[in-house]
Amino acid sequence: MSDTFFVAGEPRIEARFEPADGEAIGAVVVCHPHPLYGGDMDNYVVVALSGRLRSSGLSVLRFNFRGTGSSGGSHDGKAEVEDVQRALEWVRDNGGVGDRMGLAGYSFGAMVAAGAASGARAFVAVSPPAPGPLPDVATLLIVGGEDQYAPPEAWQPSVDAARDARLVRIAGTDHFWGRGLREMADEAAEFFIEELRGG
């Protein structure tokens, strides 16, 4: 596992860049769930997704939102979009993949990342906590069939209204992914490879 470092700027953002296995197809910034409920870049859903992306040829940047772990500042709920933007900028400058960048988030991380998705070619939202507009980039929404907060049917109108969005329902799992992690990560990896390869 790579060492942590701090993305330039204020507040300081603790991050970890993990190169792809083999030559990188692209790179993905992965955003963690709500910090006030224990979410950080080592959350088990984030780690499982990141590992699958790396094994598929995608480098990964994980980071802690402001006020989480060793990141500076304090939780805001909205300013975290700036943290995502800075993470994407770091990957653009240092990731070695040009603009072949994706963005992913789980729960709160998906909601925040949606606000910065214009800085990426493709966006994967895993179990965002409440239905709403989807960004104007290629988007994959992955939701557990038994999600307690925003089940797949609640998201369908947003998907239908989006320019380029798909919805994948993973049967037999809820918002917390006690099962179905591998299937979720497989779907995300296939989507990013399709969207980021070449170009």
Side-chain angles (χ1 to χ4, degrees), residues 77-100:
K78 295 181 180 179
E80 283 84 353
V81 172
E82 298 174 11
D83 302 342
V84 183
Q85 292 168 336
R86 286 169 54 200
L88 287 167
E89 289 170 5
W90 188 95
V91 171
R92 183 176 293 108
D93 294 342
N94 301 280
V97 295
D99 70 348
R100 299 194 310 276

Side-chain angles (χ1 to χ4, degrees), residues 125-149:
V126 179
S127 300
L134 294 172
D136 193 29
V137 298
T139 297
L140 178 65
L141 185 62
I142 308 176
V143 181
E146 300 171 13
D147 192 292
Q148 302 94 314
Y149 302 105

